[in-house]
Amino acid sequence: MKSEGFRQPFIAQGLYMTSPDLAQTIQEVRDKALEELQGLASEEELESWRILYLGRRGRLTSVLRSLGSLSQEERRVVGAQANQVKALLEESLAQAEGQVKESRIAGLAQEEQIDVTRPGRSVALGRFHPLTQILREICDAFVAMGFQIVEGPEVEWDHYNFELLNIPRDHPARDMWNTLWIDYRDEKGEQPMLLRTHTSPMQARTMERMKPPVRVIVPGKCYRYEATDATHEWHFYQVEGLAVDDGITFADLKGTLYEFARRIFGADRRVRFRCDYFPFVEPGVDMSIDCFACKGQGCRICQETGWIEILGAGMVHPKVLEGVGYDPSVYTGFAFGLGPERIAMLKYGIEDIRLFYSNDLRFLRQF
Amino acid sequence: MKIPLSWLKEFVDINIPAEELAHRLTMAGLEVGEVITIGGWENCYVGYVEKVERHPNADRLNLCTVSTGNGTQRVVCGAPNVAEGQKIAFARVGATLIDVHTGKSATLKAAKIRGVVSEGMVCSEKELGLGEDHDGILVLPEDAPLGMPLTDYMGDQVLDLEPTPNRSDWLSVLGVAYEVAALTGTKVHEPEVFYPEEGNPISSQARVFIRNPDLCPRYTASIIKGIAIGPSPRWLQERLQRSDVRPINNVVDVTNYVMLEYGQPLHAFDYETLLRSNIMVRRAYTGEVMETLDGVTRVLNSSHLVIADDRDARALGGVVGGIDSEITDKTTDVLLESASFDPTNNRQTAQAFHLRTEATIRFEKGLRPGLPAVALRRATQLIQQVAGGTVAKGIIDAYPGKKGDTSLLLTSERIKKVLGVEFPMDRPREVLTSLGFDCREEGPSALRVTAPYWRSDIAIEDDLVEEVARIIGYEAIPTTMLSTPIPANEPQTLRNFREEVRDLLVMEGLQEVISYSAVSLDMLKRARTADDDSSLLKVANPMSGDYQYMRPTLRASLLRTLASNLSHQADSVSLFEIGRVYLKREKDLPSEPETAAGLFYGPRSSEGWLGSGDRYDFYDAKGVVEALLRQVGVAGGFQPSDDPFFHPGKAASILANGSLVGILGEVHPLVQESFEIDGGSVVFFELNLEKVFEAVPQERRALKPLARYPSSIRDISILVDSSIPAARIQSVIENQPLVERVLLFDAYEGKGVPSGKSSLAYRLYFQAADRTLSSEEVNKSLAKVIGLLEREVGASLRGGEEVQG
Ligand SMILES: [Zn+2]
């Protein structure tokens, strides 16, 4: 403690001092104050110090008060000196206060230290189902190419699901779609209602509703009577695409789907188009991408072929156009259908399609 | 469909490896699933048995001297059928054969058998991996060239093809041969068909009457008499086997062979069994009965086409033969049928009897009527060749459905319009000609094209465009981006709204799930949603009972999801689904309203050292629904509900603009129990998004100016009857003009509060848009609120204070 000297009356002899004396006194006050400030370690001590030197009755204040006894010239000189000292003391005090606070909190850290390695308070995070994520990604890719998203009924008429798509009743091509039928008979005793086997009925519904140009994609659930295993589900999603206008060609089909593959699977993806058959297109196409797992060398994912089939497509069959009242000699177009589960499986390395609808939270929380 | 390459090579030259051929076929639309190799027998040769002697030390073993052209080997052989003078398959030491005991490959070593060194082996079919026969050695034809490596002599590659349903011709060697020719630039040479017709004229031996030309436009037949039924020669059997067809006898085998070769199914009748040698092609009589080849007695009706004699049905036309006219060991005379049948009727009949025969698989695709006569002659020739006999003069050719060949015009303009690329017309012409089409020029940029008799899939000009595109290869067509105008935007408001709700629920911390759209009646009963199936949309042929009904609500789906997760997930669960429900409508498709539902179960946050917090309750679900509705601009209302799915007294209907849009509450304990969910209550909500959407104001999110003056805050505490709903008190307070917002911040029943009463504490925010309210104004307004509360809901003031805001 260095505060004992404070109690001595300092300017008791008082009010009639000369200028050199006063300057001398200011100097002494400054030195003493700074010296005492050095050793102070608490906010309380600093406050006492402030009162002692800078308070209303403090030593420096008293000195300033006595300036009145000097001549104008002396007052100007000594006054400036006193104000300088005041500013210096105030600044030193502020600095000392800062240090004291800093070290007080640093001291607290000793007592109040927390274990930063304990786990944080849990936050319930919402997540989208992986199929929602992939569907949005797919839709975004096509929306960027001018396609609009439309949706349609999942419970459909045979008429839209098959007839208008050039798949008449008793046509062997119907075997390509094992159908789940709704238990409903019409007046003729026929069973015309079904769970759509693909999103393709929206081709006909969309074209019936609007005139060209048409450029839509149709995401939605589809159903097939199919035994389930790691790669087959009776309940699945599909994304249908359709572009019809005067002047749309097979070359456009290739370009559009190529661009899609690049957006979803990366810019260095190679694609392969081969001929395939779907009754509602002519010519028909099957598109594969080069296997990203083995870079085309052949592996388990691509069944050693280096290629992975990802979608079916083709030029809209003239009969389909005729069926909805479009003139096939004027309008052409392409259609495609792809399976988002398959794309998600490829992207995320999911090996069992049944995981999508089992809703195991341990699965869903990984996305 | 499996086709041995050796067979294909009879029809077309193949100048590329099988794998390359498989690739080209696949790219052109005929997928080759696999190329199966037969052979690869190293150190195996065609051998000749020079001498057979008894083994000196074993009665059942022989010592054979086998020559392979250069030198002889002595081998020990246990086969009973080995004989001098046979050509056999000989394996030298070092050959890899199937060990008949283990079924695995093993290398042949020199061995001493009962004291005699055996320098090789005379092989059985099984040891060569050709079949199961191990009763004796494989005896080769006498003309097998001595010393030839066995693989060169009898090895093969088999294409396992997966033809698309439109191409009946890809179910034949002929059709695939034309494909190969077009893809590799070679030519097809069909076999020459010639045979002596030394019997009596066929017209004196049989007559054909077609009663229903619509179902059978053409019927051709030949007769071969005096044949000897027996096994087919080895080459014929081998080809059938490699194509997965079981050899039966020489006549039946030929019909199958020609079916594989030309794609035309044929049927052989035992001529003797046909009453009065008449063939009647007619619809069956109702109730007519016939036993088919599979031994099943079929009861027929007039929708079925039969091939009958003067009295009885003898075959189900184009589907399966009858047992009474079957070719047997005793058959000596054969009437061979090769006909055209209506594909639709054929398919219907086959499906009605669940008979998916090789014949139907082809007829249902619509075979061209040009095919039967070609196939008939080929089969007649082969029967005569392998079974002997005398062929009657001429064939029967009843062809009432005859139509001229239709041709199609193919223009370069159409090719350009569809493919987006222009060719000089010689390229399409070359492609089509190589596929067997007949092309004639019509001007410089058009062709008049006629499809060959084996192609039944060509109906329109674009079919020809596809032929051109797939043979030149899709990679030869350019890749361009769409250049046509983008259609005018049609806002998809409901869809956008649904996606916004999905975003909001995820933001509120819920995990999205997607479940099957169908449920069982039992599940719906457990969820107290349906008592019977009268109002449900039923699937006629469901995958299983678990998915027999299209779901009318998401309740069962979500409870099931929760239950299935509880075994490994006892922690905090909050999840939601957005999906359709299916509401049956009379004589129409169901309505499929988009529905959002969610549930909460367990502690509000995951358990941990910080504690897990309280368990989810009613107000968690309500808070989520409220936040959702607020965010989309809908003022929701809540009224007690007595829906039996929920805990009595803990459920609310959700209203928007006065109409019901959803429901929420704590799930009824017994419902929970029936889903095997224990360990605390489940809170559930369900919203019909289409109805919520109707309540969304058209002009949303017009900015309200931010308050420019401070608000004043007062807290009051009141005592009211517990029967008064908080919503009523809220609306009394809110209706005061200066009250900008009101918040229930405490509610208490119990000690210190009279029974039947609730103590409620509200915080009121007073605000005016144009000035700072004076304390006097605020107090006056507050006094009014208190007065109203006393009068309208019988509240009594317990206390009130100013809050520094
Ligand atoms: Zn791979």
Side-chain angles (χ1 to χ4, degrees):
Chain A
M1 278 302 199
K2 297 197 176 162
S3 57
E4 69 230 43
F6 288 6
R7 293 196 188 96
Q8 293 170 11
F10 191 69
I11 24 177
Q13 66 268 60
L15 300 171
Y16 307 102
M17 295 178 92
T18 60
S19 138
D21 292 344
L22 211 49
Q24 176 68 31
T25 310
I26 289 168
Q27 215 51 45
E28 281 168 18
V29 168
R30 189 194 77 158
D31 293 346
K32 184 103 173 105
L34 289 179
E35 190 200 324
E36 282 179 5
L37 190 59
Q38 283 295 312
L40 303 186
S42 76
E43 279 158 288
E44 296 81 51
E45 286 169 347
L46 286 174
E47 180 60 8
S48 308
W49 182 90
R50 186 189 67 77
I51 292 166
L52 184 61
Y53 289 100
L54 295 168
R56 273 197 295 156
R57 297 195 183 147
R59 291 186 184 164
L60 191 63
T61 320
S62 311
V63 174
L64 287 171
R65 217 171 275 144
S66 63
L67 285 178
S69 60
L70 302 182
S71 72
Q72 197 161 349
E73 179 55 26
E74 284 170 332
R75 207 186 302 161
R76 197 182 58 76
V77 174
V78 179
Q81 188 202 5
N83 279 328
Q84 246 173 25
V85 169
K86 190 182 179 207
L88 175 70
L89 292 187
E90 278 168 352
E91 199 192 307
S92 304
L93 174 67
Q95 229 171 47
E97 276 172 346
Q99 274 166 15
V100 164
K101 278 183 188 155
E102 201 67 65
S103 56
R104 178 171 58 83
I105 292 168
L108 282 180
Q110 297 289 324
E111 305 154 29
E112 298 181 11
Q113 189 171 35
I114 57 165
D115 180 355
V116 297
T117 67
R118 286 185 202 169
R121 190 161 277 116
S122 79
V123 172
L125 213 57
R127 284 183 207 80
F128 295 103
H129 191 282
L131 276 178
T132 298
Q133 299 180 35
I134 205 84
L135 277 165
R136 287 183 170 186
E137 220 176 301
I138 293 167
C139 288
D140 287 351
F142 286 110
V143 166
M145 290 187 269
F147 286 76
Q148 290 190 23
I149 308 171
V150 297
E151 292 176 0
E154 292 171 22
V155 183
E156 256 296 4
W157 298 116
D158 186 302
H159 179 69
Y160 286 104
N161 195 77
F162 290 126
E163 298 283 333
L164 281 181
L165 293 170
N166 194 29
I167 315 165
R169 196 156 290 198
D170 295 311
H171 192 281
R174 282 219 175 184
D175 294 345
M176 295 167 80
W177 299 272
N178 298 317
T179 308
L180 285 159
W181 299 92
I182 295 294
D183 186 17
Y184 162 75
R185 300 262 169 199
D186 62 13
E187 293 83 354
K188 286 178 268 171
E190 279 167 7
Q191 202 166 257
M193 208 190 280
L194 49 79
L195 296 180
R196 65 177 174 192
T197 57
H198 43 193
T199 38
S200 311
M202 275 304 282
Q203 286 188 27
R205 283 186 179 271
T206 303
M207 287 190 283
E208 274 185 350
R209 195 173 52 80
M210 59 199 283
K211 292 281 140 238
V214 172
R215 214 185 275 190
V216 295
I217 49 166
V218 190
K221 273 185 182 178
C222 303
Y223 308 84
R224 284 183 201 169
Y225 187 87
E226 221 159 75
T228 52
D229 61 29
T231 53
H232 295 88
E233 255 289 6
W234 65 274
H235 169 278
F236 57 94
Y237 275 86
Q238 210 173 51
V239 178
E240 188 82 7
L242 176 72
V244 179
D245 202 353
D246 179 355
I248 292 181
T249 69
F250 191 91
D252 296 330
L253 174 159
K254 283 181 69 181
T256 304
L257 295 181
Y258 180 43
E259 179 61 19
F260 162 74
R262 285 161 47 95
R263 280 171 189 258
I264 296 293
F265 293 104
D268 54 349
R269 213 69 290 127
R270 288 187 300 136
V271 299
R272 185 181 90 171
F273 296 92
R274 60 170 282 259
C275 178
D276 202 354
Y277 167 72
F278 308 100
F280 39 94
V281 292
E282 186 78 7
V285 176
D286 170 299
M287 184 173 96
S288 301
I289 53 171
D290 63 329
C291 180
F292 41 77
C294 64
K295 304 271 184 290
Q297 298 303 302
C299 69
R300 203 161 57 92
I301 291 173
C302 58
Q303 289 164 341
E304 308 300 333
T305 63
W307 294 96
I308 300 171
E309 288 179 15
I310 58 163
L311 60 84
M315 297 301 288
V316 181
H317 199 289
K319 274 194 189 161
V320 174
L321 296 174
E322 266 167 25
V324 295
Y326 284 15
D327 181 350
S329 70
V330 177
Y331 297 110
T332 50
F334 62 79
F336 55 86
L338 56 90
E341 287 92 347
R342 180 159 169 73
I343 290 178
M345 288 168 83
L346 292 170
K347 278 197 85 155
Y348 304 132
I350 299 167
E351 293 195 346
D352 193 332
I353 193 172
R354 289 168 295 195
L355 284 169
F356 289 111
Y357 305 110
S358 67
N359 288 328
D360 188 325
L361 293 173
R362 294 170 300 179
F363 169 74
L364 296 174
R365 283 176 178 168
Q366 295 185 38
F367 294 93
Chain B
M1 174 81 185
K2 284 183 180 162
I3 299 184
L5 218 52
S6 58
W7 198 346
L8 202 53
K9 281 177 176 164
E10 266 182 30
F11 280 72
V12 63
D13 298 329
I14 296 174
N15 48 22
I16 53 174
E19 283 68 26
E20 171 61 18
L21 180 66
H23 172 70
R24 288 200 203 173
L25 288 169
T26 299
M27 294 301 284
L30 176 53
E31 195 166 354
V32 181
E34 197 186 348
V35 179
I36 303 157
T37 299
I38 293 171
W41 305 291
E42 282 188 33
N43 291 314
C44 292
Y45 302 88
V46 176
Y48 177 73
V49 183
E50 288 187 347
K51 205 169 167 192
V52 177
E53 299 158 278
R54 187 63 65 77
H55 190 291
N57 307 325
D59 284 352
R60 293 203 188 153
L61 296 177
N62 292 312
L63 275 181
C64 305
T65 308
V66 176
S67 153
T68 49
N70 52 352
T72 57
Q73 276 87 12
R74 295 237 303 169
V75 296
V76 178
C77 178
N81 65 332
V82 70
E84 283 176 16
Q86 282 173 335
K87 289 273 179 66
I88 47 89
F90 178 70
R92 285 195 183 148
V93 169
T96 302
L97 298 171
I98 308 282
D99 182 325
V100 294
H101 302 297
T102 64
K104 289 178 184 152
S105 298
T107 304
L108 185 64
K109 293 177 192 132
K112 236 183 204 176
I113 301 172
R114 297 265 181 126
V116 180
V117 172
S118 184
E119 301 167 313
M121 190 188 264
V122 181
C123 303
S124 69
E125 266 189 14
K126 194 167 183 179
E127 283 156 342
L128 292 169
L130 286 171
E132 284 308 299
D133 192 0
H134 189 58
D135 294 341
I137 54 154
L138 171 65
V139 180
L140 302 178
E142 283 173 20
D143 61 359
L146 184 64
M148 183 184 256
L150 200 61
T151 300
D152 293 354
Y153 177 62
M154 56 188 293
D156 206 347
Q157 281 173 305
V158 180
L159 302 178
D160 189 359
L161 303 166
E162 292 161 21
T164 52
N166 57 326
R167 294 292 297 268
S168 62
D169 64 309
W170 280 346
L171 292 167
S172 73
V173 176
L174 178 76
V176 176
Y178 273 98
E179 206 63 35
V180 172
L183 289 169
T184 63
T186 51
K187 274 212 153 45
V188 172
H189 22 84
E190 289 183 50
E192 274 190 44
V193 175
F194 174 81
Y195 50 85
E197 299 178 4
E198 290 165 341
N200 294 324
I202 194 163
S203 54
S204 67
Q205 302 183 63
R207 283 180 301 168
V208 170
F209 304 92
I210 300 177
R211 292 267 174 78
N212 300 91
D214 53 327
L215 302 185
C216 175
R218 187 176 193 183
Y219 193 102
T220 68
S222 65
I223 292 173
I224 309 110
K225 286 187 167 173
I227 55 154
I229 298 293
S232 298
R234 168 144 202 96
W235 64 267
L236 205 167
Q237 291 199 23
E238 196 175 87
R239 285 207 171 153
L240 292 181
Q241 280 167 337
R242 288 179 184 180
S243 300
D244 283 350
V245 175
R246 189 167 54 91
I248 294 169
N249 61 48
N250 45 13
V251 171
V252 174
D253 289 355
V254 166
T255 60
N256 284 330
Y257 186 87
V258 175
M259 177 181 74
L260 293 174
E261 210 169 45
Y262 281 84
Q264 167 71 39
L266 301 106
H267 186 69
F269 294 95
D270 184 333
Y271 175 75
E272 293 290 315
T273 65
L274 299 173
L275 189 68
R276 278 191 278 281
S277 313
N278 282 338
I279 294 281
M280 311 290 291
V281 183
R282 59 166 170 86
R283 287 177 183 274
Y285 307 123
T286 302
E288 193 170 3
V289 169
M290 180 182 60
E291 189 181 347
T292 46
L293 280 176
D294 49 8
V296 179
T297 301
R298 315 274 176 182
V299 181
L300 311 176
N301 64 47
S302 64
S303 68
H304 309 131
L305 186 77
V306 296
I307 314 301
D309 59 16
D310 250 13
R311 189 182 60 210
D312 298 317
R314 294 302 191 185
L316 210 45
V319 181
V320 68
I323 209 154
D324 295 337
S325 57
E326 188 186 12
I327 303 295
T328 67
D329 293 349
K330 298 181 188 74
T331 302
T332 56
D333 301 345
V334 164
L335 182 139
L336 190 60
E337 162 203 295
S338 180
S340 294
F341 296 107
D342 174 66
T344 304
N345 177 264
N346 183 274
R347 182 172 157 89
Q348 284 168 343
T349 301
Q351 284 191 334
F353 292 119
H354 303 289
L355 282 164
R356 197 157 171 74
T357 60
E358 288 293 320
T360 278
I361 287 167
R362 289 166 172 83
F363 280 124
E364 69 173 13
K365 295 182 171 63
L367 300 179
R368 296 276 300 279
L371 201 49
V374 178
L376 181 79
R377 290 201 169 87
R378 171 70 169 155
T380 306
Q381 174 204 29
L382 287 174
I383 288 177
Q384 212 264 337
Q385 184 188 324
V386 303
T390 310
V391 181
K393 272 195 185 62
I395 60 166
I396 292 174
D397 188 357
Y399 197 174
K402 185 164 186 165
K403 288 178 202 144
D405 270 345
T406 48
S407 65
L408 295 165
L409 196 67
L410 175 64
T411 63
S412 67
E413 191 195 5
R414 185 68 191 171
I415 293 177
K416 179 155 197 287
K417 186 161 179 75
V418 174
L419 300 182
V421 61
E422 213 160 4
F423 298 108
M425 281 312 266
D426 22 330
R427 187 78 184 100
R429 184 189 183 130
E430 196 183 300
V431 165
L432 291 169
T433 306
S434 67
L435 284 167
F437 289 72
D438 180 61
C439 299
R440 270 158 225 201
E441 265 172 41
E442 272 197 23
S445 59
L447 294 173
R448 173 65 56 188
V449 182
T450 310
Y453 66 84
W454 60 88
R455 290 293 296 268
S456 59
D457 60 310
I458 303 295
I460 58 171
E461 187 180 9
D462 285 8
D463 293 330
L464 300 173
V465 175
E466 180 181 62
E467 292 306 294
V468 174
R470 67 184 188 84
I471 297 297
I472 65 165
Y474 285 176
E475 69 275 19
I477 295 167
T479 299
T480 57
M481 290 306 287
L482 283 167
S483 52
T484 51
I486 291 178
N489 181 53
E490 279 188 332
Q492 298 290 319
T493 47
L494 179 63
R495 190 193 129 78
N496 294 343
F497 174 71
R498 184 193 67 204
E499 293 310 305
E500 187 185 349
V501 170
R502 204 190 303 273
D503 290 345
L504 287 170
L505 289 171
V506 165
M507 279 188 230
E508 294 187 62
L510 283 74
Q511 166 70 53
E512 188 185 15
V513 302
I514 300 177
S515 37
Y516 294 109
S517 309
V519 292
S520 68
L521 184 58
D522 176 54
M523 280 291 153
L524 293 174
K525 281 182 177 167
R526 290 190 210 180
R528 301 190 175 180
T529 304
D531 298 327
D532 57 49
D533 67 356
S534 59
S535 65
L536 301 174
L537 197 67
K538 186 177 178 183
V539 180
N541 55 331
M543 295 307 301
S544 78
D546 287 347
Y547 309 114
Q548 196 167 11
Y549 295 93
M550 298 307 284
R551 61 183 179 187
T553 163
L554 300 182
R555 293 173 184 187
S557 305
L558 287 194
L559 284 183
R560 241 185 120 163
T561 295
L562 175 63
S564 69
N565 274 289
L566 285 182
S567 56
H568 49 76
Q569 176 64 55
D571 212 350
S572 171
V573 177
S574 64
L575 45 85
F576 79 98
E577 174 163 8
I578 291 182
R580 294 184 186 179
V581 299
Y582 309 83
L583 308 177
K584 190 162 143 183
R585 288 193 292 204
E586 270 310 298
K587 294 181 180 174
D588 200 355
L589 297 179
S591 65
E592 301 179 7
E594 295 283 358
T595 304
L599 66 73
F600 303 84
Y601 171 87
R604 222 164 258 147
S605 65
S606 288
E607 284 155 1
W609 67 283
L610 292 163
S612 56
D614 296 337
R615 297 184 69 82
Y616 283 119
D617 65 21
F618 176 90
Y619 296 103
D620 289 287
K622 188 172 180 198
V624 163
V625 170
E626 280 173 333
L628 177 68
L629 294 178
R630 191 164 53 239
Q631 189 60 23
V632 299
V634 171
F638 298 84
Q639 281 175 1
S641 163
D642 56 5
D643 188 300
F645 176 68
F646 293 103
H647 192 303
K650 292 186 178 177
S653 305
I654 306 166
L655 307 166
N657 287 354
S659 66
L660 185 69
V661 300
I663 195 155
L664 81 114
E666 205 172 278
V667 176
H668 196 290
L670 295 179
V671 172
Q672 249 183 256
E673 204 179 294
S674 72
F675 279 86
E676 289 166 22
I677 298 164
D678 47 24
S681 55
V682 178
V683 200
F684 178 89
F685 70 86
E686 190 164 30
L687 289 165
N688 178 324
L689 292 184
E690 293 180 12
K691 289 200 174 146
V692 176
F693 183 60
E694 281 168 23
V696 172
Q698 286 299 305
E699 277 139 48
R700 286 170 56 192
R701 308 227 172 102
L703 184 68
K704 270 200 285 181
L706 305 183
R708 293 169 59 195
Y709 302 94
S711 59
S712 302
I713 301 174
R714 298 284 188 280
D715 285 351
I716 57 168
S717 170
I718 57 171
L719 209 58
V720 288
D721 278 357
S722 298
S723 63
I724 306 279
R728 239 185 100 195
I729 300 168
Q730 181 102 4
S731 81
V732 167
I733 302 172
E734 271 173 352
N735 283 342
Q736 257 307 298
L738 292 179
V739 176
E740 195 254 343
R741 192 155 77 86
V742 59
L743 176 77
L744 174 68
F745 71 89
D746 192 32
Y748 178 70
E749 291 93 21
K751 211 176 164 196
V753 175
S755 103
K757 297 274 183 187
S758 298
S759 165
L760 303 174
Y762 287 93
R763 177 161 293 178
L764 284 67
Y765 294 79
F766 293 88
Q767 180 136 51
D770 55 352
R771 64 189 190 282
T772 304
L773 291 174
S774 70
S775 186
E776 240 164 56
E777 277 179 297
V778 173
N779 291 342
K780 226 164 108 187
S781 183
L782 180 66
K784 254 189 209 163
V785 169
I786 292 165
L788 279 170
L789 287 174
E790 284 166 354
R791 276 201 305 285
E792 297 198 3
V793 299
S796 57
L797 191 66
R798 300 187 87 204
E801 65 178 295
E802 190 171 336
V803 177
Q804 297 302 324

